[in-house]
């Protein structure tokens, strides 16, 4: 009988916690808001033509990853690639993010998925659309992107 009571207490605790398992905590909502703010700031910085400010949304580390048509590594390479591919405001165009979903993994990491749209003139390279998935890490300086997987969709 004593053995049944030993198993009943943990089982009862688990059953009590189940209704709360699907609920978001206020801190999760706050963290998701902080992550969304990083993306909002990045879009604003991009749209002002400020690549350095845009890049501040990434962790300044040689370990960060960029996955697209190739796999690139490191913050410095990312800056150089952006400068090469987007040399002026016309090539940068206007960036918007949509369908943004933030998925906290734990207190230190989160994933984000969504769509991007780059509105550009034909001379600037034309419009571009695609999907992205990000992994962000909460650092002393705030949430920073450590992995960026962006895929451009084919024009319709």
């Amino acid at each position: 009988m004593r053995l049944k009571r030993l198993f009943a207490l943990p089982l009862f605790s688990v059953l009590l916690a189940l209704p709360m398992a699907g609920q978001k905590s206020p801190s999760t909502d706050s963290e998701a808001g902080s992550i969304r703010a990083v993306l909002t700031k990045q879009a604003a910085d991009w749209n002002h033509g400020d690549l350095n400010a845009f890049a501040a949304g990434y962790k300044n580390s040689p370990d960060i990853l960029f996955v697209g048509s190739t796999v690139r590594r490191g913050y410095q390479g990312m800056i150089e690639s952006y400068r090469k591919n987007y040399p002026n405001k016309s090539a940068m165009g206007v960036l918007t993010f949509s369908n943004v979903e933030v998925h906290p993994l734990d207190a230190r990491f989160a994933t984000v998925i969504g769509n991007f749209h780059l509105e550009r003139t034909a001379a600037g390279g034309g419009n571009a659309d695609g999907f992205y998935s990000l992994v962000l890490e909460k650092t002393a300086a705030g949430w920073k992107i450590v992995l960026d997987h962006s895929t451009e969709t084919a024009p319709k």
Side-chain angles (χ1 to χ4, degrees), residues 57-136:
Y58 292 88
K59 185 176 181 183
N60 189 344
S61 167
D63 299 325
I64 62 173
L65 294 171
F66 299 86
V67 181
S69 58
T70 64
V71 175
R72 298 178 316 273
R73 299 172 191 278
Y75 186 86
Q76 192 58 42
M78 179 238 351
I79 293 281
E80 291 167 6
S81 177
Y82 274 125
R83 284 195 178 119
K84 178 183 172 191
N85 294 315
Y86 303 96
N88 54 50
K89 181 72 175 100
S90 177
M92 292 177 76
V94 176
L95 174 66
T96 54
F97 295 122
S98 61
N99 302 317
V100 177
E101 293 181 24
V102 177
H103 302 275
L105 300 174
D106 60 22
R108 193 170 156 214
F109 291 97
T111 61
V112 177
I113 61 170
N115 300 94
F116 70 86
H117 175 72
L118 198 54
E119 187 78 27
R120 298 184 294 193
T121 64
N127 294 345
D129 292 285
F131 302 97
Y132 63 88
S133 61
L134 309 171
V135 175
L136 288 92

Side-chain angles (χ1 to χ4, degrees), residues 8-82:
L9 184 57
L11 179 61
F12 181 69
S13 298
V14 169
L15 290 174
L16 279 178
L18 280 177
M20 297 184 291
Q23 297 176 2
K24 291 182 183 178
S25 71
S27 65
T28 300
D29 289 340
S30 173
E31 296 299 344
S34 296
I35 291 167
R36 286 175 185 277
V38 169
L39 298 178
T40 299
K41 182 175 181 337
Q42 278 194 302
D45 292 336
W46 181 274
N47 295 336
H48 286 109
D50 191 342
L51 280 176
N52 289 332
F54 170 83
Y58 292 88
K59 185 176 181 183
N60 189 344
S61 167
D63 299 325
I64 62 173
L65 294 171
F66 299 86
V67 181
S69 58
T70 64
V71 175
R72 298 178 316 273
R73 299 172 191 278
Y75 186 86
Q76 192 58 42
M78 179 238 351
I79 293 281
E80 291 167 6
S81 177
Y82 274 125

